[in-house]
């Protein structure tokens, strides 16, 4: 017998889980389905496990920076033990997520889902479900690459589950995945190369601070090849032979492992959206500003699967999922507010951003840009860090338009600027904050 639900949520990541709980607690009949373990990319295959591995790299680098400054002896990463440390967090997640949903009254299903009509979905092993509303929250997947031998690459999920770390690693692509993993692998003793077809890496971040990061990356032993177009990957003596083209010349490099770091796209191809009359845009589910499909009003989308203005970040997925749920429950058209959402590349040290880039801000008119090399400040001197900087952008009215930071602990400090932008605070108001001293936050007043 066909089951009928008020809401079916496709995808058990942060967007889907938050929406499912909210609607169930409001009295709706709700089911959630995923073909992968519950928890989504962030908790299982991305942000959290990545940062668990980064802890080992941070410790090794901290010792290296203080060599001759009171710290002596060799420290190294035991990769299998570090991986067990990561698994101590990730292994309990699926059961914890699923039990939390069950307690909230959500029916949990496992299997691949696809639409069969505007109000129907079929799930492997569970048959067909009729729904009044559906939320697509299936996240993203690695972007397809179309050069010969691309099937030899492993993706970020595979990297985060490596039992052993190979000696020679090539990362394809110059985005945050490549840089974050490269910084971990290099501190673990691997020979690391990043191949990027673009002239500029990490394009969504301030170029002056990216240059600092590139210098710091090379100091850590990471080779970065810009404007390197991939040609193919073949075999050589039991390893991979990576062939690329740069400045009109053919080049090659041998690697034990080649990792896909060339971006991600919405994971919606398997859903048979056409059967439900769901339109797509920019690779994702086309949605109005309030996250509803204009071609099938029963459908909403949130997180990386939605072609919304939101960046592919966990906090965005969380609040989009909650807003989509609220709009469904109340039949309203509340639009998400993306103001003040920070982004961080968790290299060592980290690169952070919130608000407008300098080039974007200057298009609005007169702005004040304060760019400071903070590498000689006490906060860096204390731990031996050699590279750090900050760029703060303010408007004519004194309000903060953008903040860009590269340095240790700046992933935490960027949150102060996130709040300032969200609340429309001026530089003077932020500088008036009496911060504990000496801390990173006590440096803020000198960054303007």
């Amino acid at each position: 017998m066909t089951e009928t639900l008020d809401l079916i949520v496709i995808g058990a990541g942060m967007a889907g889980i938050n929406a499912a709980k909210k609607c169930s607690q409001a009295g709706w009949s709700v089911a959630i389905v995923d073909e992968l373990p519950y928890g989504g990319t962030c908790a299982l295959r991305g942000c959290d496990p990545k940062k668990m591995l980064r802890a080992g790299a941070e410790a090794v680098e901290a010792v290296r920076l203080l060599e001759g400054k009171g710290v002596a002896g060799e420290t190294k990463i035991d990769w299998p033990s570090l991986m067990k440390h990561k698994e101590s967090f990730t292994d309990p997640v699926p059961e914890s997520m699923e039990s939390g949903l069950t307690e909230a009254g959500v029916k949990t299903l496992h299997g691949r889902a696809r639409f069969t009509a505007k109000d129907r979905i079929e799930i492997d092993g569970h048959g067909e479900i009729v729904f009044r509303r559906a939320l697509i929250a299936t996240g993203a997947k690695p972007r397809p690459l179309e050069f010969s031998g691309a099937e030899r690459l492993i993706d970020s999920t595979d990297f985060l589950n490596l039992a052993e770390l190979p000696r020679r690693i090539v990362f394809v692509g110059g985005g945050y995945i490549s840089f974050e993993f490269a910084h971990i692998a290099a501190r673990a003793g691997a020979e690391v190369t990043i191949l990027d077809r673009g002239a500029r890496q990490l394009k969504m971040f301030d170029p002056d601070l990216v240059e600092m990061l590139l210098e710091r990356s090379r100091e850590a032993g990471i080779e970065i090849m810009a404007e390197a177009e991939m040609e193919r990957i073949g075999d050589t003596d039991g390893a991979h032979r990576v062939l690329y083209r740069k400045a009109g010349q053919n080049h090659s490099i041998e690697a034990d492992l080649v990792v896909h770091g060339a971006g991600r796209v919405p994971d919606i191809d398997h859903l048979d959206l056409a059967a439900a009359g769901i339109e797509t845009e920019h690779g994702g589910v086309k949605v109005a500003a309030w996250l509803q499909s204009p071609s099938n009003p029963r459908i909403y989308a949130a997180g990386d699967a939605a072609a919304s203005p939101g960046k592919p970040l966990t906090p965005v997925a969380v609040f989009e999922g909650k807003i989509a749920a609220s709009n469904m429950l109340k039949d309203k058209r509340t639009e998400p507010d993306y103001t003040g959402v920070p982004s961080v590349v968790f290299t060592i040290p980290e690169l952070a951003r919130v608000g407008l880039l300098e080039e974007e801000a200057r298009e609005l008119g007169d702005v004040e840009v304060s760019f400071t090399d903070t590498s000689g400040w006490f906060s860096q001197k204390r731990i031996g860090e050699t590279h750090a900087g900050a760029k703060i952008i303010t408007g004519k009215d004194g309000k903060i338009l953008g903040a860009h930071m590269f340095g240790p602990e700046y992933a935490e400090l960027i949150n102060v600027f996130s709040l300032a932008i969200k609340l429309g605070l001026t530089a003077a108001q932020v500088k008036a904050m009496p911060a504990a001293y000496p801390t990173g936050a006590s440096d803020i007043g000198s960054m303007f």
Side-chain angles (χ1 to χ4, degrees):
M1 184 175 177
T2 302
E3 186 175 7
T4 301
L5 294 171
D6 290 321
L7 172 67
I8 178 71
V9 177
I10 311 163
M14 293 301 99
I17 286 172
N18 278 281
K21 285 183 176 180
K22 188 177 182 72
C23 290
S24 180
Q25 288 164 350
W28 278 19
S29 58
V30 180
I32 188 168
V33 60
D34 205 315
E35 60 184 303
L36 296 172
Y38 280 31
T41 298
C42 184
L44 296 176
R45 303 178 291 277
C47 324
D48 293 336
K50 164 200 70 187
K51 209 168 180 191
M52 294 290 284
L53 297 183
R54 183 182 186 262
E58 288 175 282
V60 167
E61 187 65 4
V63 170
R64 189 191 72 80
L65 289 173
L66 288 174
E67 263 181 42
K69 302 179 181 72
V71 175
E74 183 185 358
T75 302
K76 64 179 182 178
I77 287 178
D78 177 344
W79 187 263
S81 295
L82 183 61
M83 192 60 64
K84 287 180 181 177
H85 175 55
K86 180 220 65 166
E87 290 163 355
S88 72
F89 172 81
T90 55
D91 284 358
V93 167
E95 183 178 348
S96 174
M97 292 289 187
E98 191 161 355
S99 63
L101 286 160
T102 301
E103 288 171 10
V106 179
K107 183 176 182 178
T108 57
L109 305 173
H110 296 267
R112 173 162 285 214
R114 67 180 184 88
F115 289 97
T116 55
K118 284 182 176 284
D119 63 347
R120 292 170 186 262
I121 195 164
E122 188 173 77
I123 300 170
D124 291 347
H126 298 280
E128 194 172 60
I129 291 174
V130 177
F131 57 83
R132 195 165 60 85
R133 292 283 187 271
L135 176 68
I136 299 172
T138 46
K141 64 179 180 180
R143 181 186 304 280
L145 300 177
E146 297 182 353
F147 54 81
S148 176
E151 70 280 356
R152 294 173 175 268
L153 276 74
I154 69 165
D155 62 18
S156 55
T157 300
D158 298 324
F159 182 88
L160 289 168
N161 288 310
L162 287 172
E164 299 284 349
L165 190 71
R167 183 172 63 88
R168 302 168 300 175
I169 305 175
V170 169
F171 292 90
V172 177
Y176 70 94
I177 290 175
S178 289
F179 274 89
E180 289 177 340
F181 288 174
H183 272 249
I184 293 169
R187 269 57 175 227
E191 298 171 14
V192 179
T193 302
I194 294 175
L195 298 179
D196 183 29
R197 67 179 182 180
R200 176 178 161 186
Q201 290 69 58
L202 298 167
K203 299 181 186 69
M204 296 302 293
F205 291 82
D206 179 79
D208 294 322
L209 296 180
V210 169
E211 280 302 314
M212 278 192 177
L213 171 56
L214 296 182
E215 288 180 14
R216 189 67 172 82
S217 300
R218 294 184 177 107
E219 184 185 275
I222 300 167
E223 186 174 12
I224 301 163
M225 304 296 293
E227 299 181 275
E229 188 73 33
M230 286 292 299
E231 294 286 327
R232 62 186 177 88
I233 302 176
D235 276 325
T236 176
D237 297 328
H240 303 290
R241 186 175 182 83
V242 181
L243 290 96
Y244 62 96
R245 192 167 180 81
K246 180 177 171 62
Q249 301 290 320
N250 291 322
H251 301 269
S252 68
I253 183 171
E254 291 186 10
D256 303 304
L257 186 71
V258 188
V259 183
H260 187 315
R264 293 167 68 82
V265 296
D267 188 12
I268 58 174
D269 295 345
H270 60 287
L271 295 175
D272 199 0
L273 300 179
I278 302 168
E279 295 178 354
T280 60
E281 183 177 55
H282 308 306
V285 177
K286 183 177 180 179
V287 290
W290 54 92
L291 304 173
Q292 185 178 29
S293 167
S295 58
N296 183 348
R298 298 176 183 81
I299 308 298
Y300 288 73
D304 295 359
S308 72
K311 294 177 183 177
L313 299 168
T314 299
V316 172
V318 169
F319 69 66
E320 281 191 349
K322 290 179 178 178
I323 289 170
S326 181
N327 284 339
M328 286 186 278
L329 288 168
K330 300 174 183 177
D331 196 21
K332 289 192 173 183
R333 294 186 172 187
T334 301
E335 299 179 13
D337 179 5
Y338 300 102
T339 305
V341 177
S343 304
V344 180
V345 184
F346 283 100
T347 46
I348 302 174
E350 56 260 35
L351 175 65
R353 162 211 177 153
V354 66
L356 300 177
L357 292 168
E358 180 181 348
E359 60 200 65
E360 295 169 336
R362 291 194 183 281
E363 291 176 0
L364 301 178
D366 292 336
V367 295
E368 183 176 335
V369 178
S370 178
F371 178 44
T372 310
D373 185 329
T374 64
S375 58
W377 290 15
F378 170 79
S379 298
Q380 277 59 262
K381 191 82 172 175
R382 181 182 70 84
I383 59 174
E385 181 52 67
T386 58
H387 292 68
K391 179 181 287 187
I392 313 300
I393 306 162
T394 54
K396 288 186 292 185
D397 57 1
K399 290 185 177 180
I400 299 168
L401 300 176
H404 307 271
M405 315 181 77
F406 174 62
E409 306 294 333
Y410 283 179
E412 293 293 343
L413 208 54
I414 201 69
N415 293 317
V416 174
F417 291 95
S418 171
L419 182 62
I421 291 174
K422 190 77 171 178
L423 298 180
L425 301 183
T426 64
Q429 288 172 316
V430 173
K431 289 168 71 174
M433 176 184 69
Y437 182 87
T439 63
S442 65
D443 290 340
I444 287 176
S446 302
M447 292 179 175
F448 291 91

